[in-house]
Amino acid sequence: MLIASTLLLLAALAGYSLLCATSPFGTCRKCRGLGGTVVLDRKGRPKRAKPCRRCKGHGKRLRVGRRLHNHSRDIHRAGTR
């Protein structure tokens, strides 16, 4: 039972690291990838009111796993100079 759960955890970790390597940017959870808050104008059409503060209006953010990878890479480069 312990071996099976460990293998499942390692498979999930490998899958997430592969996802971070192939697609480092994910959709912003605050604005849902729209780039800002959406309000309706007088005719009922959606328009963007303000850019999102988290993604700065891009709609994409760097994934946590990729951020950790970049940080560890920077530490390694600084230590080997």
Side-chain angles (χ1 to χ4, degrees):
M1 185 70 167
L2 181 64
I3 294 172
S5 62
T6 304
L7 288 176
L8 184 64
L9 182 65
L10 287 176
L13 186 64
Y16 183 69
S17 62
L18 184 65
L19 176 71
C20 288
T22 58
S23 176
F25 292 96
T27 305
C28 178
R29 293 185 307 186
K30 175 89 173 175
C31 66
R32 296 186 186 111
L34 297 175
T37 56
V38 176
V39 295
L40 299 177
D41 63 359
R42 291 181 183 208
K43 295 182 180 179
R45 294 178 301 206
K47 71 172 196 175
R48 207 172 82 185
K50 292 193 320 188
C52 178
R53 289 177 15 186
R54 288 187 183 178
C55 65
K56 295 178 179 56
H58 295 286
K60 297 287 185 181
R61 293 189 63 194
L62 197 60
R63 294 185 194 273
V64 175
R66 187 62 183 205
R67 191 172 296 131
L68 289 172
H69 176 270
N70 291 347
H71 185 67
S72 65
R73 188 181 61 206
D74 292 342
I75 289 174
H76 179 72
R77 281 185 186 164
T80 57
R81 286 183 187 171

